[in-house]
Amino acid sequence: MSVEVVLYRPEWAEMFETLKQAVSEALDGIDFRIEHVGSTAVPGLAAKPVIDIDVILTRWEEFEEVAARLESLGFQRRGDLGIPWREAFTRSPRFAFAHNLYVCRDGMPAVENHLKLRDYLRTHRYDAERYSARKFELAALHPGDIDAYCRGKTELIAEFLAAAGMDEASISEIEAVNLL
């Protein structure tokens, strides 16, 4: 998989809203919230041009119903991909732009990671600039190796999560998964 990092694009917020509306309508009656996560959720931050969306369930026992409804939108289950309480789904052909959708159990480290990192970078411009620079550097070093690209970001992500107040055990879990 090729690694492309681009400067921030304002239309990413609109793309997220398109996904959010369709998913919200499909999940009507279920207790959930939807968050725009990842670098495209941080104004001014360079990113891979892929919209990341977390569907966060309050009641995990509703997951099977959620999965069935998402399948009606063209999403297909991919499993947890090694991250407990987070189920990945394929991109839906109903949307013309690149996106990743995850269904997460509320309160789990995967959700906390996404939200704390996003919120930290939204409020710490200097660190967001450092992160953008690192992403461009890694994309140039590893243009065809997404795993090496992700591993290369891990130390900086851990630094930001610690500054955002995430506990050491959760950061260690995230580092372990990212460094596989």
Side-chain angles (χ1 to χ4, degrees):
M1 171 185 219
S2 105
V3 179
E4 175 192 20
V5 174
V6 300
L7 294 174
Y8 179 78
R9 297 179 180 164
E11 63 266 22
W12 289 338
E14 296 166 20
M15 293 172 178
F16 165 71
E17 289 300 327
T18 298
L19 280 169
K20 181 180 179 179
Q21 181 177 347
V23 170
S24 293
E25 289 171 6
L27 300 183
D28 185 46
I30 292 177
D31 190 12
F32 68 96
R33 73 182 194 277
I34 296 177
E35 296 283 351
H36 186 185
V37 296
S39 295
T40 63
V42 180
L45 185 62
K48 296 187 313 300
V50 178
I51 306 303
D52 291 315
I53 178 173
D54 280 355
V55 177
I56 303 167
L57 295 182
T58 303
R59 296 172 14 127
W60 191 251
E61 55 272 13
E62 295 181 308
F63 173 74
E64 292 301 327
E65 177 66 22
V66 167
R69 292 188 194 188
L70 291 173
E71 287 174 1
S72 75
L73 290 177
F75 294 100
Q76 298 296 314
R77 287 171 74 168
R78 296 178 57 212
D80 70 9
L81 306 180
I83 300 176
W85 304 109
R86 188 200 78 175
E87 293 284 325
F89 285 75
T90 61
R91 295 176 180 166
S92 170
R94 292 182 66 175
F95 305 97
F97 50 88
H99 57 280
N100 295 317
L101 184 143
Y102 303 97
V103 177
C104 309
R105 182 176 180 176
D106 199 11
M108 293 294 108
V111 171
E112 184 181 11
N113 168 22
H114 284 170
L115 299 179
K116 281 193 181 291
L117 183 60
R118 178 199 66 192
D119 294 347
Y120 180 82
L121 291 171
R122 282 178 172 173
T123 59
H124 293 82
R125 191 81 247 135
Y126 173 76
D127 285 337
E129 290 170 7
R130 288 176 53 215
Y131 192 42
S132 287
R134 183 68 176 141
K135 291 163 75 146
F136 279 120
E137 174 189 346
L138 290 166
L141 284 171
H142 308 289
D145 188 348
I146 191 71
D147 293 330
Y149 169 82
C150 290
R151 283 190 302 271
K153 298 186 309 176
T154 299
E155 185 177 329
L156 202 51
I157 289 170
E159 175 189 327
F160 297 155
L161 290 173
M166 184 176 265
D167 66 271
E168 283 186 43
S170 294
I171 293 171
S172 293
E173 272 183 49
I174 292 161
E175 287 176 310
V177 169
N178 286 353
L179 294 174
L180 288 178

